[in-house]
Amino acid sequence: MSEATEKRVRSRRLSGGGVKMVDVARLAGTSTQTVSRVLSRPELVADDTRKLVEQAIRELNYIPNSAARLLASSVSHIVAVIIPSLSATVYAQEVHHIVRVLEEHSFSVVIGHSDYSELREERLVQSFLERRPDGFILTGTQHTDLTRQLLRNSGVPVVETFDGDNAAMDMSVGFSNLEAGRKVAELFLSRGLTRIAYVGGRSDQDFRSNARFEGLQSRLAEAGLAPVARIELTLPMPAGDGVRGLDQVLAIDPLTQAIFFSADTLAISALLECNRRGMRVPEQLAICGFGNYDFADAIVPALTTVAVPFEQIGVLAANAILARLDGSVQGPSQTVVPLQLLRRGSA
Amino acid sequence: MSEATEKRVRSRRLSGGGVKMVDVARLAGTSTQTVSRVLSRPELVADDTRKLVEQAIRELNYIPNSAARLLASSVSHIVAVIIPSLSATVYAQEVHHIVRVLEEHSFSVVIGHSDYSELREERLVQSFLERRPDGFILTGTQHTDLTRQLLRNSGVPVVETFDGDNAAMDMSVGFSNLEAGRKVAELFLSRGLTRIAYVGGRSDQDFRSNARFEGLQSRLAEAGLAPVARIELTLPMPAGDGVRGLDQVLAIDPLTQAIFFSADTLAISALLECNRRGMRVPEQLAICGFGNYDFADAIVPALTTVAVPFEQIGVLAANAILARLDGSVQGPSQTVVPLQLLRRGSA
DNA sequence: TTGTACGCGTTATCAG
DNA sequence: CTGATAACGCGTACAA
């Protein structure tokens, strides 16, 4: 390989044009230290020197190397986010707002899918830890022991989201899934409905859905109702699974009066299927969803559902990390955001 | 600060427990080089030594520092992905599959939102470049000059997605938006519809929507039809905007026979609104969407739409980066994935 | 198959 | 306000 070729390859890999801080310093006639200061704490540099440096930076198209910065300063400006899947609107929404907030504070977000598996989450944590993130945002409070140990050991701020019922390792921003279930139970009870079913994710995959079921179940039991039928779907659940859930419920009890679906996607597809079959909603079958997604109030009848403030969760989670990093907040914290039952046409 | 406290703080920030390769080497009784080899090319190490090292790694909970690795090897194992917004299902889906594929190859994905702005994209590129990513995946082919220059200069593989009509800077994986428009025009023509409207994003924001409009318009013009009415909505467009688009179209021409919406979300909400108003679809008004989202075929009448293989786009984009990185593919490339018009009930 | 010496690009420390 | 020097933790090249 000729020297020229080698140089080209090298600079390509470096992908910074090969220009580094020394080059800027040389051109500006200062030391690298001053360049560094202009970049991180410009107020400490004399105006003239600063302008000289800034000029040199532009001229050379200098792009700092964050790896070198991390190595020297042990601050990565990275926040690692692990969610079950980006194809579920819920999590996509949450991440959207996390990214939005963190971008404003010049943090980068690296993202990973646990695919609803604690083990995959563990592997991701392990691999993300190599990047020395300044914060972690996880989903739920269910993790392997190793995950907990790794995280605790690393000392990185951790926010667990979507679960306000269980204790968090560090910080948490979530809502009470138990309460969601109870709210829906109340609704059904207030309408005098007694033959009730629940459709959600598999109990070994979706722990937060479990809590919603528990809430529903326990409140109904308090009212003296028989245990509700429960259908467990394998995650991820495409919208069409709502129809399958509906069919399984009706197979168990054709006279079922109400179904609580663990996600609006399921509820909507079930409701539309009822329309198609001529089953009257809510008279013949009441349907309640969870999440208040797009179209929940556009379909006919409009979907009764539990509104979850996904945006707020994302924003608060990001802020929790930021607050811990800038030192304005110190200890653990547990934030529970409110849910709202939206009574519309379907239940 | 006591020495102990100082040490604790330090190790917290390092978030790797402070254990480094030398520590592992020391415990295993080898050199760091051997540890390094065990991590990257285990086959070059004798079985016994390897086991010793692996044992030491476990015992110390050693977590490699990717910044140091990058600094020494100039490989970051990071791919930067920039999309307009994660709250649009399209992009969330695409990213989902990008992440899925890249995770399998132990690449991390950092993600950013351009918010449909070239300038914000430019700033993101600038900031991501500091991390020396091994690849970039962008959306569309519309970028600022600086973005192009920065990217070209860096030598990083770049994939532009969602636009198969325009020339790419390096590689591209997309579909023809022009063709999408033409396909829909054909459909309307075949049904003898002549008063046609288009509802999409603002022309200065959504360039790919522009192309769909062009395709529609030009094909209709070829058939001798008058220019179609065009409604421009400001991005991001919540689903409810479909109704606003519908209203604006009807305000311009109450006798409009067909509308092509630039996204299914808009089309679905408009269609449901038509149902509510008692406007018969497609007899009175034909509706065609774009994207084939969830519920497109669950509503009544089922939505006629253009199916876009978002998953395939994500997978191909990720693979394009990977192929370039492992050297199996060298030059630029332009991949166009096929679209499919799904004729269903609404048009 | 393993070890040694050095460089990667930046920031912290401390002196001036 | 600025500069010299020493880390930061790992991979590469080369030698053994």
Side-chain angles (χ1 to χ4, degrees):
Chain A
M1 197 181 329
S2 77
E3 204 172 89
T5 311
E6 189 173 276
K7 185 137 183 237
R8 180 149 35 77
V9 169
R10 182 113 241 289
S11 88
R12 293 194 55 164
R13 306 215 67 189
L14 285 177
S15 70
V19 180
K20 41 198 169 186
M21 204 175 259
V22 228
D23 302 321
V24 175
R26 201 140 34 208
L27 182 57
T30 72
S31 74
T32 60
Q33 201 36 240
T34 302
V35 177
S36 174
R37 270 191 283 261
V38 168
L39 257 25
S40 51
R41 322 187 57 195
E43 69 277 9
L44 295 185
V45 179
D47 270 18
D48 295 351
T49 337
R50 188 170 45 69
K51 276 170 191 154
L52 236 49
V53 171
E54 284 166 345
Q55 171 60 22
I57 289 179
R58 265 192 306 274
E59 207 158 305
L60 296 175
N61 274 319
Y62 168 65
I63 298 178
N65 183 323
S66 64
R69 177 177 294 162
L70 165 53
L71 205 51
S73 71
S74 44
V75 175
S76 64
H77 267 91
I78 284 183
V79 172
V81 175
I82 302 181
I83 53 168
S85 156
L86 261 183
S87 55
T89 325
V90 215
Y91 303 117
Q93 286 296 344
E94 183 203 11
V95 175
H96 177 268
H97 293 286
I98 291 175
V99 170
R100 184 172 59 72
V101 171
L102 291 179
E103 258 174 15
E104 284 167 15
H105 295 260
S106 41
F107 278 78
S108 297
V109 171
V110 320
I111 191 159
H113 293 165
S114 71
D115 264 327
Y116 304 93
S117 147
E118 293 170 49
L119 211 62
R120 294 184 63 94
E121 183 190 59
E122 176 185 299
R123 290 200 207 97
L124 281 173
V125 167
Q126 194 127 214
S127 116
F128 284 167
L129 240 16
E130 300 189 1
R131 307 211 177 266
R132 303 298 187 263
D134 296 331
F136 262 96
I137 299 180
L138 306 181
T139 309
T141 52
Q142 196 82 19
H143 315 289
T144 67
D145 288 343
L146 183 53
T147 298
R148 284 171 199 289
Q149 184 199 323
L150 250 35
L151 252 17
R152 205 175 302 279
N153 227 293
S154 73
V156 182
V158 176
V159 177
E160 292 166 273
T161 58
F162 284 91
D163 184 351
D165 294 312
N166 296 294
M169 355 182 353
D170 183 8
M171 301 180 280
S172 88
V173 177
F175 51 86
S176 170
N177 288 282
L178 273 167
E179 187 201 336
R182 279 194 297 265
K183 272 186 198 290
V184 175
E186 293 286 357
L187 171 69
F188 289 163
L189 288 172
S190 76
R191 304 245 160 153
L193 275 15
T194 55
R195 305 177 84 134
I196 293 166
Y198 178 82
V199 175
R202 258 170 41 197
S203 54
D204 62 331
Q205 288 187 307
D206 192 342
F207 298 94
R208 295 177 296 288
S209 159
N210 289 351
R212 298 202 276 281
F213 171 72
E214 294 302 341
L216 178 76
Q217 172 85 295
S218 65
R219 183 64 192 83
L220 293 178
E222 284 169 31
L225 295 196
V228 321
R230 176 181 188 178
I231 304 301
E232 301 189 20
L233 270 18
T234 297
L235 276 58
M237 308 175 288
D241 275 11
V243 177
R244 289 183 40 217
L246 172 69
D247 282 333
Q248 293 183 43
V249 165
L250 295 179
I252 293 176
D253 178 5
L255 298 182
T256 301
Q257 297 173 304
I259 307 180
F260 178 23
F261 287 90
S262 80
D264 273 9
T265 46
L266 303 176
I268 291 174
S269 80
L271 190 157
L272 293 171
E273 178 66 15
C274 286
N275 286 348
R276 224 174 280 114
R277 293 183 187 175
M279 281 185 74
R280 281 165 303 121
V281 177
E283 296 79 6
Q284 203 171 340
L285 180 70
I287 290 180
C288 181
F290 183 81
N292 192 30
Y293 297 174
D294 267 0
F295 306 126
D297 65 346
I299 58 177
V300 179
L303 184 68
T304 291
T305 188
V306 180
V308 181
F310 300 117
E311 164 166 359
Q312 197 187 353
I313 292 177
V315 171
L316 290 177
N319 282 334
I321 297 285
L322 292 172
R324 180 68 72 75
L325 290 178
D326 71 17
S328 60
V329 173
Q330 304 270 349
S333 65
Q334 200 129 352
T335 307
V336 178
V337 301
L339 297 174
Q340 207 186 340
L341 181 64
L342 266 25
R343 293 180 76 144
R344 296 198 278 229
S346 74
Chain B
M1 194 177 339
S2 78
E3 207 172 86
T5 311
E6 189 172 276
K7 186 141 183 229
R8 181 151 32 79
V9 169
R10 182 114 241 289
S11 86
R12 294 195 55 166
R13 305 217 66 190
L14 285 177
S15 70
V19 180
K20 39 198 171 186
M21 203 176 260
V22 229
D23 303 321
V24 175
R26 200 139 37 205
L27 180 58
T30 71
S31 74
T32 61
Q33 197 34 238
T34 303
V35 178
S36 173
R37 270 192 283 260
V38 169
L39 257 26
S40 52
R41 321 187 60 195
E43 69 278 9
L44 294 184
V45 179
D47 271 17
D48 295 350
T49 340
R50 188 169 45 70
K51 277 170 192 155
L52 236 48
V53 171
E54 284 166 345
Q55 171 61 22
I57 289 180
R58 264 191 307 274
E59 208 158 306
L60 296 174
N61 274 318
Y62 168 66
I63 297 178
N65 183 323
S66 64
R69 178 178 294 161
L70 165 53
L71 209 49
S73 70
S74 44
V75 174
S76 64
H77 270 243
I78 284 183
V79 172
V81 176
I82 302 180
I83 53 168
S85 157
L86 262 181
S87 54
T89 325
V90 216
Y91 303 117
Q93 286 295 344
E94 183 203 12
V95 175
H96 177 269
H97 293 285
I98 291 175
V99 170
R100 184 172 60 71
V101 171
L102 290 179
E103 259 175 13
E104 283 167 15
H105 295 260
S106 41
F107 277 78
S108 297
V109 171
V110 320
I111 191 160
H113 293 165
S114 71
D115 263 327
Y116 304 93
S117 146
E118 293 170 50
L119 211 61
R120 294 184 62 93
E121 183 189 61
E122 176 185 298
R123 291 200 206 96
L124 281 172
V125 166
Q126 195 128 214
S127 118
F128 285 166
L129 240 16
E130 300 189 2
R131 308 211 177 267
R132 303 299 187 264
D134 296 331
F136 261 96
I137 299 181
L138 306 180
T139 309
T141 52
Q142 196 83 18
H143 316 289
T144 67
D145 288 344
L146 183 53
T147 298
R148 285 171 199 287
Q149 184 200 323
L150 251 30
L151 252 17
R152 204 176 301 279
N153 227 294
S154 75
V156 182
V158 176
V159 178
E160 292 165 272
T161 59
F162 284 91
D163 183 351
D165 294 312
N166 296 294
M169 357 182 349
D170 184 8
M171 301 181 280
S172 88
V173 177
F175 51 86
S176 171
N177 287 283
L178 273 167
E179 187 200 336
R182 279 194 296 264
K183 272 187 198 290
V184 175
E186 294 284 359
L187 170 69
F188 289 162
L189 289 172
S190 76
R191 304 243 159 152
L193 276 13
T194 55
R195 305 174 84 132
I196 293 167
Y198 178 81
V199 174
R202 256 170 44 196
S203 53
D204 61 333
Q205 289 187 306
D206 193 341
F207 299 94
R208 296 176 296 289
S209 159
N210 289 350
R212 298 202 277 282
F213 171 72
E214 293 302 341
L216 177 76
Q217 172 86 295
S218 66
R219 181 64 190 83
L220 293 178
E222 284 169 32
L225 295 197
V228 321
R230 175 179 190 180
I231 305 299
E232 302 188 20
L233 270 18
T234 298
L235 275 60
M237 307 175 286
D241 276 11
V243 177
R244 289 182 40 216
L246 171 69
D247 281 334
Q248 293 184 43
V249 166
L250 295 179
I252 293 176
D253 178 5
L255 298 182
T256 301
Q257 296 174 306
I259 307 180
F260 177 23
F261 287 90
S262 79
D264 272 10
T265 45
L266 303 177
I268 291 174
S269 79
L271 190 157
L272 293 171
E273 178 66 14
C274 287
N275 287 346
R276 224 173 280 113
R277 295 184 186 174
M279 281 185 74
R280 283 165 302 121
V281 177
E283 296 80 4
Q284 203 170 340
L285 179 69
I287 291 181
C288 181
F290 183 81
N292 192 30
Y293 298 173
D294 267 0
F295 307 125
D297 65 347
I299 58 177
V300 179
L303 184 69
T304 290
T305 187
V306 180
V308 181
F310 300 117
E311 164 166 359
Q312 199 187 352
I313 292 176
V315 171
L316 291 176
N319 282 334
I321 297 286
L322 292 172
R324 180 68 72 75
L325 289 179
D326 72 17
S328 59
V329 173
Q330 304 271 349
S333 65
Q334 200 129 352
T335 306
V336 177
V337 300
L339 298 174
Q340 206 185 341
L341 180 66
L342 266 26
R343 294 180 75 142
R344 296 199 279 230
S346 74

